[in-house]
């Protein structure tokens, strides 16, 4: 719960353990947004703030600290992920400098200078490619810049930032400027990357292999997109803040197949588990599933 603490409960609602990770000043007092990630008995948390940012790994059964590393970052909002590729498992943490860590030890594996910007969207992985980006900022602040989307190769080491004037390096397959990445995390489907803007109902489509832009279009009858899109069975699903899910078929042009409305404002990203889709609106929680699903 933000700076309040970390709590572990069993399914009966009884407290198993709790952990105080400290309370720190955040940018403009906005608080935290990064979610914890669970993998192989360990819980990873990215605690970025204005005082002493750090990344920490805890034993998920006891809350015991396994390792902790300092981060040279101010307040950021994206959540870390575990990227399991053909070379190794990596813990990816966003920021004005994206970094990869060894999940076992916290050792830094590689870093990538994002040319500033604000890290809100969570990185996504597709096999041996990792896609990371920061939102473009132009507010007269220290993070002005960004807006790039990078494709990182598996097995990268060291500083993989492309040289000035270059769009690739030993660890970077391509760099796409003005990608449109904002609050919503990207989604990969049918060989394309889709990024939805939070203000103008615009979707950007980028070729996942080359980084070239396919199109930038306004979603018909769309509203701002705050929650992250998802993909099932070769289709992209994007939920806008009016509570409408836009079903998109991947391709060279924007083709919206259907619009499904729940009639309630929504900002949070849906959760998918056991064949069910969970949507949280401002007043209600919805579970959508096949009639015979359990």
């Amino acid at each position: 719960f933000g700076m309040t603490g970390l709590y572990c409960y069993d399914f009966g609602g009884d407290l198993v353990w709790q952990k105080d990770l400290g309370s720190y000043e955040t940018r403009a007092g906005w608080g935290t947004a990064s979610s914890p990630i669970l993998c192989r008995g360990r819980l990873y948390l990215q605690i970025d703030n204005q005082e002493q940012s750090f990344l920490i790994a805890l034993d998920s059964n006891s809350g015991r600290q396994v390792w902790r590393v300092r981060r040279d970052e101010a307040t950021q909002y994206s959540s870390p992920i575990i990227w399991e590729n053909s070379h190794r498992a990596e813990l990816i943490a966003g920021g004005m400098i994206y970094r990869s860590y060894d999940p076992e030890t916290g050792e830094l594996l590689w870093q990538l200078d994002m040319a500033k910007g604000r890290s809100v969207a969570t990185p996504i992985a597709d096999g041996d490619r990792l896609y990371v980006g920061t939102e473009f900022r132009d507010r007269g602040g220290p993070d002005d810049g960004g807006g790039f989307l990078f494709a990182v190769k598996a097995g990268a080491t060291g500083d993989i930032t492309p040289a000035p004037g270059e769009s690739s390096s030993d660890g970077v397959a391509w760099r796409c400027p003005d990608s449109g990445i904002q609050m919503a995390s990207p989604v990969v489907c049918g060989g394309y990357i889709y990024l939805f803007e939070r203000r103008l109902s615009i979707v950007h489509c980028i070729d996942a292999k080359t980084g070239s832009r396919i199109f930038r279009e306004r979603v018909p009858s769309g509203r701002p997109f705050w929650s992250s899109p998802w993909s099932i069975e070769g289709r992209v699903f994007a939920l806008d803040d009016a509570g409408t899910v836009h079903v998109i078929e991947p391709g060279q042009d924007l083709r919206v197949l259907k619009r499904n409305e729940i009639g309630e404002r929504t900002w949070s990203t849906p959760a998918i588990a056991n064949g069910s889709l969970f949507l949280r609106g401002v007043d209600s929680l919805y579970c959508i599933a096949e009639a015979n699903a359990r």
Side-chain angles (χ1 to χ4, degrees), residues 17 37-44 57-66 82 84 103-104:
W17 56 261
I37 180 171
L38 180 65
C39 184
R40 298 177 182 173
R42 289 188 179 178
L43 196 64
Y44 302 94
L58 305 174
D59 180 273
S60 62
N61 292 314
S62 65
R64 176 184 60 85
Q65 178 177 310
V66 178
I82 295 291
E84 297 199 25
E104 294 297 318

Side-chain angles (χ1 to χ4, degrees), residues 86-100:
S86 62
H87 293 256
R88 64 199 174 198
E90 304 181 35
L91 175 63
I92 309 298
M96 286 196 289
I97 296 179
Y98 252 84
R99 295 176 175 91
S100 168

